[in-house]
Amino acid sequence: MEVLRHLLSRVAGIVFAILVIATINFVLVRAAPGDPATVIAGQSGATDEQFIAQIRAEYGLDKPYLVQLGTYLGKVVTFDLGYSFRQRRAVADLIAERLGPTLLLTLSAFFMSLIGGVTFGALAGLRHGRWSDIAISMVALLLYATPVFWLGLMLVLVFSIQLEWLPAYGYSDMRAAGFGALQYAWDVAKHLLMPAVTLSAIYMAVYTRLMRSSLIEVAGEDHVKTARAKGLTEGAILRGHMLRNAALPVITFAGLQIGALVGGAVVVETVFSWPGLGRLTFDAVTTRDYPVLLGLFLVMSILVIAVNLLTDLIHRLVDPRLAAR
């Protein structure tokens, strides 16, 4: 009964958070400069006031602000994301087409940065003060200071143009789908590698520094000294007493940074022409397509909440105190 009550309260909290996020998104998008009716009229080659008023009436832009907000929230509750002003298609269909590539890119970058940060941070922490620690720390600091778009362009210049090892842009080769499932998966993986590395680099640098500091701190705690006094091997101490405890702050911080990771995908997808939600967001901003923007912000917010729940699950698996509960 207690577990059921906890789950219901958790679900209610998530639903409330989504409605609050949807309201804030609506207010922020409508506060941005620009009139979608004027943009649509300009694309149609007509700018007279009567035609613009007709467009506003067609899309409900002439209604009072609170009425538009209430209509939007009502659609959110019924899972209706609206209709695109510019592309004249359901927003849900547009997002569904782009959701897969964005999930692939974001989750790949998330796990790449988390695993890489924990691994390199542990190596630096275990070799504290040695040349390998200094080298890893300097590389992490360099990656943290490097702009994401510049790193992406340099990777394209080196690995695509100079060495010709990896494709420079896109999701897959148009011919790869006809070569079989394994060939298609390999082609997608080659296209994914540079965008995922670019997106994960700055976060891997942060997690490396955090893991290094955490491991050095854990190494001096009493339970580690007690384990050594009992005669445990260094490997057993490292696995059972140091790494799990040192990784907890990294996992917690990674869950907090997932929102920035999703936001950074907009830049990376633009650099590499990755057909995900980031490119769709960029196009919707330039054309003032309110329904698409609101749908994208809502879906991205839900993705952030979902990945935070995933991070919480990983946290519970790593932390034996939470797992016992």
Side-chain angles (χ1 to χ4, degrees), residues 243-264:
L243 286 180
R244 292 182 69 175
N245 290 306
L248 294 179
V250 180
I251 296 173
T252 302
F253 192 72
L256 297 175
Q257 287 289 310
I258 190 62
L261 187 69
V262 174

Side-chain angles (χ1 to χ4, degrees), residues 210-230 232 234 237-238 240-249 319 321:
L210 184 59
M211 182 66 185
R212 174 186 177 275
S213 302
S214 181
L215 190 63
I216 292 173
E217 182 180 355
V218 169
E221 292 184 354
D222 292 338
H223 69 276
V224 176
K225 297 178 181 178
T226 303
R228 284 199 178 94
K230 290 180 178 180
L232 293 178
E234 287 297 321
I237 295 173
L238 180 63
H241 297 273
M242 294 175 63
L243 286 180
R244 292 182 69 175
N245 290 306
L248 294 179
D319 191 345
R321 296 167 299 182

